[in-house]
Amino acid sequence: MSWQLGPEDLPALALGATLLGTGGGGDPHIGRLLVEQAMREHGPVTILDPDDLDDDLLIIPTAQMGAPTVVLERIPAGPEPLAALRRLEDHRGRRAAATMPIECGGINSMIPLLVGATGGLPVVDADGMGRAFPELQMETFSVYGVPGSPLAIADELGHTVLIDTGEDNRQLEWLARGVTIRLGGVAYIAEYAMTGRQVKDTAVPRTLSLALSVGRAILDARRDHRDPFAALADAFSRTIYTHIRELFHGKVVDVERRTTEGFARGRARIRSADGDGELEISFQNENLVAIRDEIQLAVVPDLICILEEETAEPITTERLRYGDRVRVIGVSTPALMRTPEALAVFGPRCFGLDREFVPVEDGPGGEIAGTADARMEEWEQTPVR
Amino acid sequence: MSWQLGPEDLPALALGATLLGTGGGGDPHIGRLLVEQAMREHGPVTILDPDDLDDDLLIIPTAQMGAPTVVLERIPAGPEPLAALRRLEDHRGRRAAATMPIECGGINSMIPLLVGATGGLPVVDADGMGRAFPELQMETFSVYGVPGSPLAIADELGHTVLIDTGEDNRQLEWLARGVTIRLGGVAYIAEYAMTGRQVKDTAVPRTLSLALSVGRAILDARRDHRDPFAALADAFSRTIYTHIRELFHGKVVDVERRTTEGFARGRARIRSADGDGELEISFQNENLVAIRDEIQLAVVPDLICILEEETAEPITTERLRYGDRVRVIGVSTPALMRTPEALAVFGPRCFGLDREFVPVEDGPGGEIAGTADARMEEWEQTPVR
């Protein structure tokens, strides 16, 4: 079943995608403005359900690559991601039937919509991370056998780079990151070209729908003066992100952040309102681990989201600052992201953390008041329309 | 007129090319071994005189890119430069009629011969620097309007990168250098694809012949117990490198060298035998400027060559060390490398030196004993056979 995504959907999508971005994935405001402008000119974008894809369609995901700290100051001109897609199409000698996100995030859920609007392409309702991760090999596509190569990079001057590292997605990340750094810290890419069959076998399904429903739940609750955190927990309970936990509530008392080797790296300290205890969160573009008094509350690939304490507005790592009053929530990732193969690609050790993965629902985090864990453990989730 | 270059020519070619490399261009021993092995397997290589090229032939130069300090420890496997050529051919949809060096040097005069031997291609007797320079935009090709893009990079694993920065050869260097650094500091490239007409219009002609004649002059003099420096001066006098000067004679007393941003950068101090004065030479892969007591004796693009004091063996920047007893010579570059357009691309200011170009023959360096400057100022030089 395909459906149309229009400008009226963008506020909810940007909000939900940024929350799923778990600190990274780019700024929601910039991403939303880009797509709004494109949709005003070209109309709404057709969204394809992954189950409806013919097996032999060519799907080429598109994305922004770089440090979110840089993107705040270096906004895309607009044509770059479509230029990257075209470059890869030219190399393969075949046009893509659709594009798709590689991750959820304020920018990277939007970039494929920009490509869809300006290039006249539908966008597949799925992605390769089910959240955001900082590196290109950290894709369910990669985990389940799709090579990221060849990868095309484009910048705002029309310059292009095409990288082919065969099956080696880690080397692909290494070289593409090097080029991105030399392009000023941000670039636009097309990669992980795959068939419709491969999308169905390897992608996290319906994450645009998920972002929309999460965003709408928060916006509706705010409008109706209900608790947005309860609404959020309720929205997740109808998805494959089964468990949601409140990890901490307090005030940001320190943010250490540096842009290095093409990433925004650092840590934040949050002190509880009653002065009782402190949470430390480490990040590499995205939040990686939440630790309270030496106890690990949540760790990648589970989601660690820092939300404004009243509105549940997600705060990205590059915007986080001293004095922010926040609630930190942990969300369980879908089953296909917790397999041994998946944890070997984006588990804690892949980020240099000497830690084991412990599911957030097995940790000491509490349930959000007035909610209960989802009972629906099965794989499918309902499309939003 | 085409001619055959065989394994018996390699010692002289390696020696002469290393001297023309003016401190850079790669180690002669490694380059020579690579081509010797290829010629043992595939036979000699056909060398084409640039004047004989049909206007519409496709010529694709090949080279090694990287810091010479790294190449000493990371020797090529062999197939990389041909893989880069093939990648660029595939991209353009056309086979090259010949390859060509982009610079003179112990490695980079040899890489095209390796490609020629293993790929069954002739090699054009010309290059784009008439010496060695550290950066890709520093080519007479670039000065006179040939774009370096698209550029193909290949490594020993068969991974490839293709970069297209349109007319912007400086950005091409910047991105290719970034990829080279991430490939471990050395990579193999094919770029500046051009027509036979463009070779005739923009290349420094017959520099393989030049390297051979310079190398033979030194080797013959050593064998016959004549002064190799006088033989060297005599050899240059029959070329478009009209003037040769002795700049200094002494012992290396200090070498400061670091491999940084993909280059070997630093400076050497040489003290005269009688303790009277000191010469300082700065380098970025190649020797850039020679200064004695605050007086500039020679500067890029003129050649500054550090030679062992008895044998005239050239010493590359990465091998230079405390205690070396050396004579430093300056050699004038051909007229097409001293035009305002050329100096804007590889004059002193292009290396961050706040200096004017002063021809070495107008400086205070002395003539080499028993020689006189060439009287032949015109453009052409005689092929060696």
Side-chain angles (χ1 to χ4, degrees):
Chain A
M1 188 185 61
S2 72
W3 46 282
Q4 298 290 303
L5 191 143
E8 68 283 3
D9 299 314
L10 296 176
L13 179 63
L15 177 59
T18 304
L19 188 144
L20 293 171
T22 186
D27 186 77
H29 188 61
I30 294 169
R32 176 183 151 185
L33 289 180
L34 276 170
V35 179
E36 261 183 16
Q37 186 182 9
M39 284 182 170
R40 270 201 302 272
E41 199 171 330
H42 301 279
V45 172
T46 300
I47 309 295
L48 303 179
D49 190 81
D51 279 356
D52 296 342
L53 298 178
D54 285 346
D55 280 359
D56 59 355
L57 289 182
L58 175 64
I59 314 295
I60 300 184
T62 46
Q64 182 188 73
M65 180 163 188
T69 38
V70 174
V71 180
L72 283 184
E73 300 185 1
R74 188 146 177 271
I75 296 171
E80 303 92 331
L82 182 60
L85 179 96
R86 296 297 186 220
R87 177 71 188 81
L88 191 53
E89 287 178 333
D90 290 346
H91 176 62
R92 298 179 63 101
R94 188 177 164 195
R95 289 288 186 198
T99 185
M100 184 167 72
I102 64 167
E103 68 175 358
C104 302
I107 288 276
N108 268 341
S109 295
M110 294 290 176
I111 290 290
L113 297 172
L114 178 65
V115 170
T118 56
L121 282 166
V123 176
V124 179
D125 186 6
D127 77 274
M129 294 182 176
R131 46 166 288 163
F133 284 124
E135 299 181 14
L136 287 184
Q137 79 280 6
M138 295 172 170
E139 296 278 348
T140 53
F141 314 144
S142 171
V143 172
Y144 300 108
V146 180
S149 289
L151 172 147
I153 303 179
D155 71 5
E156 71 281 8
L157 299 171
H159 298 168
T160 60
V161 176
L162 199 116
I163 305 176
D164 190 341
T165 59
E167 304 283 315
D168 191 341
N169 294 333
R170 188 177 281 275
Q171 181 72 353
L172 183 70
E173 154 69 26
W174 176 246
L175 296 181
R177 188 72 50 186
V179 171
T180 298
I181 292 170
R182 294 227 151 187
L183 287 173
V186 57
Y188 297 85
I189 58 174
E191 86 297 32
Y192 284 105
M194 67 182 91
T195 63
R197 178 77 258 160
Q198 288 175 309
V199 172
K200 289 179 273 190
D201 289 345
T202 71
V204 186
R206 301 186 190 93
T207 45
L208 284 172
S209 293
L210 172 66
L212 257 177
S213 67
V214 165
R216 280 181 184 152
I218 295 174
L219 290 177
D220 290 351
R222 286 186 201 163
R223 186 196 58 209
D224 303 340
H225 305 290
R226 287 183 284 111
D227 174 14
F229 286 87
L232 183 61
D234 187 54
F236 272 116
S237 77
R238 290 192 297 271
T239 73
I240 53 176
Y241 295 69
T242 323
H243 307 277
I244 181 166
R245 289 286 184 276
E246 176 153 342
L247 304 180
F248 205 76
H249 187 171
K251 189 178 83 163
V252 177
V253 293
D254 192 32
V255 181
E256 176 201 327
R257 181 174 47 219
R258 55 199 194 288
T259 301
T260 170
E261 296 175 359
F263 298 106
R265 295 178 195 266
R267 62 191 68 214
R269 288 190 300 118
I270 304 167
R271 194 163 295 157
S272 92
D274 52 16
D276 170 29
E278 201 172 272
L279 187 76
E280 184 173 285
I281 295 179
S282 303
F283 52 82
Q284 177 187 347
N285 291 7
E286 284 76 36
N287 300 321
L288 300 178
V289 60
I291 297 166
R292 177 181 183 161
D293 304 330
E294 302 188 359
I295 297 167
Q296 171 182 309
L297 302 189
V299 70
V300 279
D302 281 347
L303 281 61
I304 299 166
C305 307
I306 305 178
L307 309 180
E308 199 280 324
E309 68 174 359
E310 298 289 342
T311 61
E313 186 74 21
I315 307 176
T316 54
T317 47
E318 69 273 19
R319 296 238 185 235
L320 195 66
R321 61 183 183 178
Y322 177 90
D324 284 342
R325 287 167 196 279
V326 300
R327 288 166 76 178
V328 181
I329 64 164
V331 180
S332 64
T333 37
L336 93 164
M337 296 181 62
R338 288 171 159 191
T339 62
E341 303 94 303
L343 294 177
V345 172
F346 44 64
R349 291 184 198 285
C350 305
F351 298 86
L353 300 173
D354 187 20
R355 295 182 169 278
E356 296 298 330
F357 173 69
V358 178
V360 66
E361 63 271 25
D362 297 344
E367 294 192 2
I368 289 177
T371 71
D373 268 359
R375 297 290 162 255
M376 203 183 89
E377 299 266 352
E378 68 269 28
W379 175 235
E380 288 304 312
Q381 70 191 78
T382 318
V384 279
R385 4 181 169 180
Chain B
M1 188 182 64
S2 73
W3 47 280
Q4 298 290 304
L5 191 143
E8 69 283 2
D9 298 314
L10 295 177
L13 178 64
L15 177 58
T18 304
L19 189 144
L20 293 171
T22 185
D27 186 77
H29 187 62
I30 295 169
R32 175 182 150 184
L33 289 180
L34 276 170
V35 179
E36 262 183 13
Q37 187 182 7
M39 284 182 170
R40 271 201 302 273
E41 199 171 329
H42 302 279
V45 172
T46 300
I47 309 295
L48 303 178
D49 190 81
D51 280 355
D52 296 343
L53 298 178
D54 285 345
D55 281 359
D56 59 354
L57 288 182
L58 175 64
I59 314 296
I60 300 184
T62 45
Q64 182 187 71
M65 181 164 187
T69 38
V70 174
V71 180
L72 283 183
E73 301 186 0
R74 190 146 176 269
I75 296 170
E80 302 93 332
L82 183 59
L85 179 96
R86 295 297 186 220
R87 179 71 189 82
L88 190 53
E89 285 178 334
D90 290 346
H91 176 62
R92 299 180 61 101
R94 188 176 164 197
R95 289 288 185 197
T99 186
M100 184 167 73
I102 63 166
E103 68 175 358
C104 302
I107 288 276
N108 268 340
S109 295
M110 294 290 175
I111 291 291
L113 297 172
L114 178 64
V115 170
T118 56
L121 283 165
V123 176
V124 178
D125 186 6
D127 77 275
M129 294 183 176
R131 47 167 287 164
F133 284 123
E135 300 182 13
L136 287 183
Q137 79 279 8
M138 296 173 169
E139 294 279 347
T140 53
F141 314 143
S142 171
V143 172
Y144 299 109
V146 180
S149 289
L151 172 145
I153 303 180
D155 72 5
E156 72 281 8
L157 298 170
H159 299 169
T160 60
V161 176
L162 199 115
I163 305 177
D164 190 342
T165 60
E167 304 284 314
D168 191 341
N169 294 333
R170 187 177 283 275
Q171 181 72 353
L172 183 70
E173 154 68 27
W174 175 247
L175 295 181
R177 187 72 52 185
V179 171
T180 298
I181 290 170
R182 292 227 153 186
L183 287 174
V186 57
Y188 297 84
I189 59 174
E191 86 295 34
Y192 284 104
M194 67 182 92
T195 64
R197 177 77 259 158
Q198 288 175 308
V199 172
K200 288 179 274 190
D201 289 345
T202 72
V204 185
R206 300 187 192 92
T207 46
L208 284 172
S209 292
L210 172 67
L212 257 178
S213 67
V214 165
R216 281 181 185 151
I218 296 174
L219 290 178
D220 289 352
R222 285 186 201 162
R223 186 196 55 211
D224 301 340
H225 305 290
R226 287 182 286 110
D227 175 14
F229 287 86
L232 183 61
D234 187 54
F236 272 115
S237 77
R238 290 191 297 271
T239 74
I240 54 176
Y241 295 69
T242 322
H243 306 278
I244 181 166
R245 289 284 183 277
E246 176 152 343
L247 305 179
F248 206 76
H249 187 170
K251 189 178 84 164
V252 176
V253 293
D254 193 32
V255 180
E256 177 201 327
R257 181 174 47 217
R258 57 200 193 287
T259 301
T260 172
E261 296 175 356
F263 298 106
R265 295 177 194 266
R267 62 191 66 216
R269 289 190 298 117
I270 303 168
R271 193 164 295 157
S272 92
D274 53 17
D276 169 28
E278 201 172 272
L279 187 76
E280 184 173 286
I281 295 178
S282 302
F283 52 82
Q284 177 187 347
N285 291 7
E286 284 76 35
N287 301 319
L288 299 178
V289 61
I291 297 167
R292 177 180 183 161
D293 303 330
E294 301 189 0
I295 296 167
Q296 172 182 309
L297 302 189
V299 70
V300 280
D302 281 347
L303 282 60
I304 299 166
C305 308
I306 305 178
L307 309 180
E308 199 281 323
E309 68 173 358
E310 297 289 340
T311 61
E313 187 73 22
I315 307 176
T316 54
T317 47
E318 69 273 19
R319 295 236 186 238
L320 196 65
R321 61 181 183 179
Y322 177 89
D324 285 341
R325 288 166 194 280
V326 301
R327 289 165 77 177
V328 181
I329 64 164
V331 180
S332 64
T333 38
L336 91 165
M337 296 182 61
R338 289 172 159 192
T339 63
E341 303 94 301
L343 294 178
V345 172
F346 43 65
R349 291 185 198 282
C350 304
F351 298 86
L353 300 173
D354 187 20
R355 295 182 170 277
E356 297 297 332
F357 173 69
V358 179
V360 65
E361 63 271 24
D362 297 345
E367 294 192 1
I368 290 178
T371 71
D373 268 358
R375 298 290 161 252
M376 201 183 90
E377 297 266 351
E378 67 269 29
W379 175 233
E380 289 302 312
Q381 69 190 76
T382 318
V384 279
R385 11 178 165 180

